[in-house]
Each structure stands twice: as C-alpha cells, then as structure tokens.
C-alpha cells in the first residue's frame, strides 16, 4: 500500500495526489512514469510522475478522472492507500546542456507532465517559454507553478475565456514569426496537439520531443501493448520512451491504438484542435 | 498391489473437449488414489534409475513412486520436495515426455510411467491434507540473499536457499508473485490457486517477497549489494516479446502472446467486467507460432469466444516445439492447424485500426538449418489470405533488458541473454548469479527450476567460502 499524503482537486475532474513512495522518489526523474492499480480487480495503468521530493520521499501524480480506473483512484482520499505503485519506469528525459532557448508546450492535463520538464530545463539555466493550452478558463491548472518554471508563460484557451484566444499551435507560430529561435520544443498533451506542433516545427528543423502515453499493462517491456511506430520502426513506449522525436512518431497509428477499447471504457479525447483541423479539410 | 504390465498409462480424467473449450476450469482432473496406485505399479523401480538424470532437479522418482505404491502418498510428496520446491506446478506443466519419461524403461515397449501425473497426484494429496510445505527448517544462518524475479527459477533458488538457512528476499516486478506461472500459463492448465499455495510454502519458510519492485529501476544490482545482500540471483525471465516485422503488425487487433495471455491470466480479462482489464471479442483468430505459448494463446482465444482459431506455423507439425499433450488438447478443442504456412502481411483498416485478414504463403521443408530442423522454403505463387479479425504473435520472447541496461558490468549475449558459467550459474559479476529464461531465452519451467537449484548451490558455496 502506498499512502496518499495529500489530495487536491486542481480543476473539475483533475486531481493531484502526493503519495508516500520513498524508494520511487529516490530514483524518479522528469519524464518517467509509474504504473498503478487501485484494487484487487483493478487494471494496471500508467501515469507520468508530475513531481517528486527525494527528501520527503514522495511522488506526485496529476490525473483526469476519465475512465473506470482513474475514477476509482479519484475516490481515494488523504490517508487512504493505493494498492500498487510501480516505478519509476521509462527512460528519463535527456536534454543537451548546449540548449539555450526552449518552448515547453502543455495541452490540458499534459501541462502536469510538461511542468517537470520545464522545471528541469529552467533549473539548467535554459530560457523556457512555457505555452499552456486549455479548453476553457475553468480547466486552467498549475498556473503559478508553470510561471515559476519558465521565463515566459503563455496561457491560451480554445474559447478565449482566459489568456490568449486560440490553440497552443497559434502561440508557437506567433512566437516563431516574431523571430524567436528555439533549439528545442517539448510538446506534451493530446496526440493531435503533439502531432500539429510537430508539423509546425518540422519545416524549421527544430528538434521536437513528445511524450507518448499509450495503453500499457506491465510498463517493463513485457506485453508490447504500448508499441508504436517511430521512424518506421516498432518501439515500446514503456522501455524506449515515453519521450520520442515528434518528427518520427506515427501519431495516426498511436491514435488508433489509443481508441482500441473505446466503448469498453471511456476516454475523453475531445480535442478542439482536431475538430478545427477536420473542419478545414 | 500387483505389478501393472499395461503398455498404456492409466488414463487421466479430463473435462470433455466441447464443454471445456468454453471454460477456464482445469482440463486435466488428476488421478484418484486407485488410479495413482495402479499407475505407480507400472514402475519397475529399476536399479539404475534412468528417469532421474532426465529430471533437471533430480527428483528421486522411483523413490517417490515406491511410496505411492504403498499408499504412503504424503511420504511420496516429502520425497519429491527434498529436491523440487514446486511439485504441484511441475506435475502439471513439465514436458515429461522429453525429460524423465523419455528414458523410462517402460517406454521402450509402450508408454512410459506417468511420472508427471503421479507427481501431481502426491502434491495435490498434500494440499488436500493441508500438508503442503517443508517442516524442520534449520536455524537462520544470518546471511542475506536477494532473488530477482519470482518465476520458477527464482522460487526454486529461494526455496533451496531457505532450506539451507539463508534469509532470502524475492523482488517481483508485478503485483503478485509467480512470474510466468501467473501471467503466462493459463488457469485451465495451471490454476493460479495452486501457484499461490506453493508460494505460501515459501513464505512459511521465511522467504520475504517484495512486490511492485522493478529491479534495474527502483533498485539496481549494485544497490542490492549495498543493502547487505551477499549474493544475488537474477531470474527475471524472458519478458520481451518478439514480433515478425511484417507490414501491419501495429494494427490494433495484433497482440504479442505475452499481452494476450497477461491480460487474460494475470489481469483476469476473461472475467471482464467483474475485473477491470478489458479484452475485445473476436470471431476468427490466428496465432502465429508452434510452441507451448502459441497453444496457450490459441486455447485462451477459443475460450474467450472466438469461433475459429488457427495455429499458423511455418514448419511442419513434427518440428513444433510445443508439448505433444498441448498440441493434442488444442486439436481436441477445435483449434485448426495451418502448418507450413508463413504470414507475410497483416491486413487492416487504416481508419479504425481493425485487422481484416492476414496474407500467408505456403512453405515446404528444405535442407536442415543450424537448429537441425529442416528449413522451410516458400512455395512460389502459394499466397493466400486468411480471413481473421485478430492476430496473436507467439514466436518467442527475449530476456528483459532492464537489469542489463542498469548494470553495465553484466555481460550478455547479443540477443540479451545473461552470460553465465553453466556449471555454477555465476555471471560476469562476482556474487551475482542468473538462471532461467533470463539466461537461455524462453525455455521451460523445469529448466528454469534446474538453473535456480544450481545457482542456490553455488551461492551457498560462495557465501560459506
């Protein structure tokens, strides 16, 4: 059992939990994830580590209650235990120390995963432009934390109810048009967002890292359920990733695999960016 | 009782093939006392015991069978556990026909003695009497040993070391112990309750099992040493599934056998929605491969409701690595065998990711290859499409790379197997031993157990100096 030390609702349906897991905290690095199981008949599912504190021995997870398992996790309270937390899994993000200017882009809940990357880069002395996109004002999370981990924070909402009106791709495009030269773009969020960001940066040859979060069982390379096509080759997100070169990832294939159990369990990939892109076609 | 000179084994009662192909209940029902004693009386108790060297853990086979003849079933069980920590498991899943039973004298004229069936009988008898386990353990000797992985290799190593008085801690990556016995071998062949009972024996012997611990990630081999473990055994299995690298392999309805079996066995997807892990329903399933894992996957697919299940194997049936009994059971349950058939492409719907078919070519056998098996060669113009809506790839697994990646001094083969001294199980790092599928690539439960046993002996020598 892994005790929940702190629980907070960051926005509607979006929950942050700080978990007592000293051994995991000791090893965790940004970009890595844990696999959880909340009860005896529950499934195993991955969540990216949003933060960790080696001194206190805690890891933080932030999740949206969008399916049976995350909903059940959301019913647990401070003082309760999570049955299984396994990690830290996956390859930690690696950043070239020569990098000077970076855009870290988070989409919705993806901001929770983008934040530790921004923190790491910010801590390395890199100038970080944090671009965070949300559907609407009520869903904005982690604003203070993102501000603290970046040189400039740009918040955008799809409906214009807060910050810049539009998608993160618009903000990125505007910045690039203004002449900002990014050495690296980190994009974490819904697959369509990562795909469109990668398409924006591809012609400019800006290295773009994305974080993939496919269906997974063990998280140790054993099942191959998390496989995706990267640069024409099959890769396992759990042991080869979860970070990959956005210009190499077959996002459409990844999207298809993610939709596999639709109808058997709910997933909210209700992405406005896709709707707009499809409307344009 | 009279010596039984029948040329055939006493028949094993089984669930009816039709009924069982819809059920996850155990297929083989086990001998009654009378059946066991009758079968035991087929054993001639040869002086030179040709069966014993055929057993990777050297069970005193005529010795335990002698007790069964006398009706001393518990004594028979105790004889086995002197050398084999998992008799209820081995009696069910060992490939006896290529091991102990292969060299049985009775096998010359007829069928060998049903050693595996008798082993299972005495183990089940001990369970029914609440007598499973080892009594009279020595005092703890104060030496700590870590075992990585709780599959057959790790459990055997832990059991043997505990019997010698060592303080053993087993680190398991999953949320439950048992390794391949839990995630790989299906319930109808090896009930998980049996695995848990055998693991409880270990716990009663004082072995500590730490779950949710992925060694190589949460702790490295070096850190285990720093934590005071004087020796370490790596039995982390062959966890990395191989794919064919043919077009279409990443469509949604293509599974590694590992994923398919793990969903069903470990996560109980066959009981969805009582359990949360889902499994899609399929009508026609192709399983690629000819080993025990392929048979297991095919039989699980059938039980999950697929109307047609095909085994697609590129060599002929004679070359199939699966146990004869598993092939037989699969056929009885209506699995169709497409032998000398090789898939070339998986067809699917690019919008939904659904599988719509699989293109195959027919093969013929040519000259023997490196493995001594005749190499299959494509027959020109034999291409055809198999109408399937799911494909399960069961062409093998290689060792999991997590420990290798975090332990640079650990020498491994190019394909990932940990390099060891075969006599001792010692790796390139002093005090670190390895065995089972992590060393050999995917093999059998009993070979893994044999390796665990060898390593336990070597660890004892290493620590005692």
């Amino acid at each position: 059992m892994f005790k929940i030390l702190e629980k907070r609702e960051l926005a509607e349906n979006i929950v942050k939990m700080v978990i007592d897991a000293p051994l995991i905290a000791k090893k965790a690095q940004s970009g890595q994830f844990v696999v959880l199981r909340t009860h005896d008949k529950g499934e195993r599912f991955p969540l990216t580590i949003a933060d960790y504190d080696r001194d206190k021995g805690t890891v933080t997870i932030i999740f949206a209650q969008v399916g049976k398992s995350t909903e059940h996790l959301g019913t647990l309270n401070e003082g309760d235990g999570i049955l299984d937390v396994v990690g830290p899994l996956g390859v930690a993000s690696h950043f070239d120390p020569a990098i000077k200017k970076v855009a870290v882009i988070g989409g919705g809940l993806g901001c929770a995963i983008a934040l530790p990357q921004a923190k790491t880069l910010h801590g390395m002395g890199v100038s970080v432009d944090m671009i965070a996109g949300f559907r609407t004002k009520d869903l904005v999370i982690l604003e203070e934390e993102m501000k603290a981990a970046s040189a400039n924070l740009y918040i955008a909402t799809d409906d214009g109810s807060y910050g810049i009106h539009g998608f993160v791709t618009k903000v990125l495009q505007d910045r690039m048009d203004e002449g900002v030269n990014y050495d690296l773009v980190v994009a974490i969020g819904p697959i369509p967002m990562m795909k469109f960001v990668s398409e924006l940066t591809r012609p400019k040859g800006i290295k773009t890292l994305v974080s993939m979060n496919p269906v997974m069982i063990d998280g140790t390379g054993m099942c191959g359920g998390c496989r995706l096509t990267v640069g024409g080759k099959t890769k396992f997100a759990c042991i080869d990733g979860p970070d990959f070169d956005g210009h190499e990832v077959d996002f459409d294939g990844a999207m298809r695999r993610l939709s596999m159990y639709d109808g058997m369990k709910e997933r909210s990939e209700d992405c406005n960016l896709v709707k707009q892109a499809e409307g344009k076609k | 009782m009279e010596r039984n000179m029948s040329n055939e084994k006493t028949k094993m009662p089984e669930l009816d093939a039709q009924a069982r192909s819809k059920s996850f209940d155990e297929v083989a029902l086990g001998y009654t006392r009378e059946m066991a004693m009758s079968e035991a009386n087929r054993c001639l108790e040869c002086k030179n015991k040709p069966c014993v060297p055929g057993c990777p853990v050297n069970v005193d086979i005529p010795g335990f069978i002698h007790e069964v003849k006398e009706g001393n079933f518990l004594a028979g069980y105790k004889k086995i556990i002197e050398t084999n920590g998992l008799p209820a498991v081995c009696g069910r899943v060992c490939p006896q026909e290529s091991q102990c039973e292969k060299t049985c004298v009775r096998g010359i004229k007829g069928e060998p003695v049903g050693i595996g069936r008798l082993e299972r009988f005495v183990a089940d008898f001990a369970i029914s009497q609440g007598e499973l386990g080892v009594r009279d353990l020595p005092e703890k000797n104060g030496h700590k040993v870590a075992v990585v992985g709780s599959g057959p290799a790790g459990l055997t190593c832990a059991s043997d070391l505990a019997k010698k008085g060592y303080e053993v801690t087993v680190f398991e990556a999953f949320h439950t112990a048992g390794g391949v016995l839990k995630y790989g071998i299906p319930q109808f062949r090896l009930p998980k309750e049996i695995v848990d009972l055998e693991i409880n024996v270990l716990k009663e012997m004082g072995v500590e099992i730490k779950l949710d611990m992925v060694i190589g990630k949460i702790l490295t081999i070096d850190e285990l040493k720093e934590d005071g473990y004087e020796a370490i055994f790596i039995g982390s299995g062959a966890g990395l599934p191989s794919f064919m690298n043919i077009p279409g392999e990443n469509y949604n309805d293509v599974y590694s056998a590992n994923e398919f079996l793990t969903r069903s066995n470990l996560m109980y997807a066959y009981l969805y929605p009582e359990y949360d892990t889902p499994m899609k329903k399929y009508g026609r399933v192709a399983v690629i491969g000819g080993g025990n894992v392929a048979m297991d996957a095919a039989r699980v697919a059938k039980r999950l409701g697929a109307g047609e299940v095909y085994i697609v194997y590129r060599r002929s049936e004679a070359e199939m690595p699966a146990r004869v009994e598993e092939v037989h059971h699969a056929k009885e349950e209506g699995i169709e065998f497409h032998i000398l058939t090789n898939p070339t492409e998986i067809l699917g719907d690019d919008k939904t990711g659904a599988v719509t078919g699989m293109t195959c070519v027919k093969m013929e056998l040519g000259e023997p290859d490196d493995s001594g098996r005749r190499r299959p060669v494509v027959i020109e113009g034999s291409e055809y499409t198999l109408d399937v809506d799911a494909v399960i790839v069961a062409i093998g697994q290689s060792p999991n790379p997590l420990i290798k990646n975090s332990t640079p001094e650990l020498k491994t083969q190019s394909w990932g197997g940990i390099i060891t001294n075969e006599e001792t199980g010692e790796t390139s790092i002093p005090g670190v031993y390895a065995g089972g599928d992590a060393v050999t690539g995917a093999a059998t439960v009993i070979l893994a157990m044999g390796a665990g046993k060898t390593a336990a002996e070597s660890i004892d020598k290493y620590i005692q100096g």
Side-chain angles (χ1 to χ4, degrees), chain A residues 27 41 84 222-223 227, chain B residues 212 223 249 256 258 272 274:
Chain A
K27 284 296 176 67
K41 295 181 176 177
D84 299 287
M222 214 202 76
C223 78
R227 68 191 189 277
Chain B
D212 292 334
E223 285 166 324
E249 222 165 14
S256 72
N258 260 6
Y272 178 86
E274 185 195 339

Side-chain angles (χ1 to χ4, degrees), chain B residues 292-303:
Chain B
N292 288 321
V293 173
M295 300 305 138
D296 283 343
R299 295 171 71 194
V300 167
K302 191 84 183 174
R303 282 164 173 77

Side-chain angles (χ1 to χ4, degrees), chain B residues 288-320:
Chain B
I288 305 169
N292 288 321
V293 173
M295 300 305 138
D296 283 343
R299 295 171 71 194
V300 167
K302 191 84 183 174
R303 282 164 173 77
L304 288 170
E308 307 291 332
V309 180
Y310 312 116
I311 287 281
V312 177
Y313 182 58
R314 67 198 182 108
R315 301 177 194 254
S316 79
E317 200 174 313
E319 283 86 19
M320 275 194 178

Side-chain angles (χ1 to χ4, degrees), chain B residues 255-448:
Chain B
Y255 299 83
S256 72
N258 260 6
E259 180 186 355
F260 192 75
L261 291 171
T262 299
R263 276 183 184 276
S264 180
N265 300 337
L266 181 78
M267 305 308 295
Y268 295 91
Y270 67 91
L271 296 176
Y272 178 86
E274 185 195 339
Y275 281 74
D276 290 350
T277 302
M279 181 73 100
K280 285 178 77 175
K281 294 255 177 273
Y282 296 107
R284 291 172 310 282
V285 178
V287 180
I288 305 169
N292 288 321
V293 173
M295 300 305 138
D296 283 343
R299 295 171 71 194
V300 167
K302 191 84 183 174
R303 282 164 173 77
L304 288 170
E308 307 291 332
V309 180
Y310 312 116
I311 287 281
V312 177
Y313 182 58
R314 67 198 182 108
R315 301 177 194 254
S316 79
E317 200 174 313
E319 283 86 19
M320 275 194 178
R323 287 175 72 197
V324 174
E325 184 182 325
E326 305 312 327
V327 173
H328 171 72
H329 277 149
K331 284 185 174 169
E332 274 187 345
E333 289 165 16
I335 312 291
E336 215 177 280
F337 282 60
H338 288 235
I339 53 159
L340 290 167
T341 303
N342 202 27
T344 52
E345 182 176 2
I346 297 165
L347 309 171
D349 181 326
D350 277 329
K351 187 132 187 72
T352 64
V355 165
T356 56
M358 184 164 80
T359 309
C360 301
V361 286
K362 297 300 285 181
M363 314 290 282
E364 59 191 351
L365 292 180
E367 295 301 308
D369 64 11
D370 294 344
S371 72
R373 298 181 298 182
R374 293 175 65 195
R375 199 169 65 87
V377 186
V378 177
I379 301 174
E380 288 304 320
S382 63
E383 192 173 282
Y384 71 105
T385 299
L386 200 57
D387 179 20
V388 292
D389 56 5
V391 175
I392 300 167
V393 183
I395 57 163
Q397 300 92 238
S398 49
N400 193 294
L402 292 181
I403 291 177
K404 178 187 80 179
N405 291 348
S406 62
T407 319
E409 325 85 90
L410 188 68
K411 293 214 171 80
T412 56
Q413 316 271 7
S414 56
W415 47 270
I418 299 171
I419 295 172
T420 59
N421 175 338
E422 267 185 54
E423 305 277 295
T424 61
E426 192 171 12
T427 66
S428 53
I429 307 173
V432 178
Y433 297 76
D437 286 2
V439 170
T440 58
T444 63
V445 168
I446 189 70
L447 282 174

Side-chain angles (χ1 to χ4, degrees), chain B residues 72-388:
Chain B
N72 299 329
F73 305 133
L74 219 47
Y77 167 73
K78 285 181 178 155
K79 199 102 214 154
I80 297 178
I81 54 168
E82 284 172 13
T83 57
N84 180 351
L86 307 169
V89 170
C90 288
R92 287 172 165 82
V93 303
C94 264
Q96 290 97 6
E97 71 265 20
S98 56
Q99 294 176 340
C100 53
E101 294 181 16
K102 190 179 178 184
T103 43
C104 174
V105 170
R106 294 298 307 268
I108 298 168
K109 274 194 180 165
E111 288 185 330
V113 174
I115 299 169
R117 294 173 181 187
L118 290 171
E119 180 180 33
R120 170 183 165 171
F121 171 78
V122 294
D124 286 0
F125 182 82
I127 291 171
S128 73
Q129 302 295 304
E131 290 285 347
L132 206 61
V134 180
R135 309 282 181 265
D136 314 322
L137 287 170
E139 293 267 305
K140 290 264 178 259
N141 65 16
H143 294 288
K144 281 171 68 180
V145 178
V147 169
V148 180
S150 65
L155 291 178
T156 302
C157 189
S159 166
D160 279 21
L161 288 168
K163 281 187 217 164
K164 293 180 198 286
Y166 287 91
E167 286 177 29
V168 185
T169 306
V170 178
F171 295 89
E172 166 56 43
F174 270 128
H175 56 264
T176 179
V180 74
L181 306 174
K182 281 276 178 65
Y183 73 75
I185 305 177
Q187 179 76 10
F188 54 83
R189 212 149 73 73
L190 179 63
K192 301 310 145 208
E193 300 75 18
I194 298 278
V195 181
D196 283 332
L197 282 169
E198 302 254 45
I199 290 167
N200 273 336
V201 169
L202 252 75
K203 290 184 188 161
E204 281 170 13
M205 287 161 66
V207 172
E208 188 187 3
I209 300 184
K210 291 194 173 182
L211 303 173
D212 292 334
M213 298 286 278
V214 181
I215 300 303
K217 287 293 184 183
I218 194 160
L219 289 172
T220 61
I221 296 293
D222 284 343
E223 285 166 324
L224 287 174
K225 283 186 167 174
E226 286 161 21
D227 283 349
Y229 294 101
E230 293 166 62
I232 298 159
F233 174 74
I234 304 170
S236 50
L240 198 71
S242 307
F243 285 90
M244 311 233 341
N245 296 316
I246 58 174
E249 222 165 14
N250 288 349
Y251 282 124
N252 290 3
D253 303 309
V254 183
Y255 299 83
S256 72
N258 260 6
E259 180 186 355
F260 192 75
L261 291 171
T262 299
R263 276 183 184 276
S264 180
N265 300 337
L266 181 78
M267 305 308 295
Y268 295 91
Y270 67 91
L271 296 176
Y272 178 86
E274 185 195 339
Y275 281 74
D276 290 350
T277 302
M279 181 73 100
K280 285 178 77 175
K281 294 255 177 273
Y282 296 107
R284 291 172 310 282
V285 178
V287 180
I288 305 169
N292 288 321
V293 173
M295 300 305 138
D296 283 343
R299 295 171 71 194
V300 167
K302 191 84 183 174
R303 282 164 173 77
L304 288 170
E308 307 291 332
V309 180
Y310 312 116
I311 287 281
V312 177
Y313 182 58
R314 67 198 182 108
R315 301 177 194 254
S316 79
E317 200 174 313
E319 283 86 19
M320 275 194 178
R323 287 175 72 197
V324 174
E325 184 182 325
E326 305 312 327
V327 173
H328 171 72
H329 277 149
K331 284 185 174 169
E332 274 187 345
E333 289 165 16
I335 312 291
E336 215 177 280
F337 282 60
H338 288 235
I339 53 159
L340 290 167
T341 303
N342 202 27
T344 52
E345 182 176 2
I346 297 165
L347 309 171
D349 181 326
D350 277 329
K351 187 132 187 72
T352 64
V355 165
T356 56
M358 184 164 80
T359 309
C360 301
V361 286
K362 297 300 285 181
M363 314 290 282
E364 59 191 351
L365 292 180
E367 295 301 308
D369 64 11
D370 294 344
S371 72
R373 298 181 298 182
R374 293 175 65 195
R375 199 169 65 87
V377 186
V378 177
I379 301 174
E380 288 304 320
S382 63
E383 192 173 282
Y384 71 105
T385 299
L386 200 57
D387 179 20
V388 292

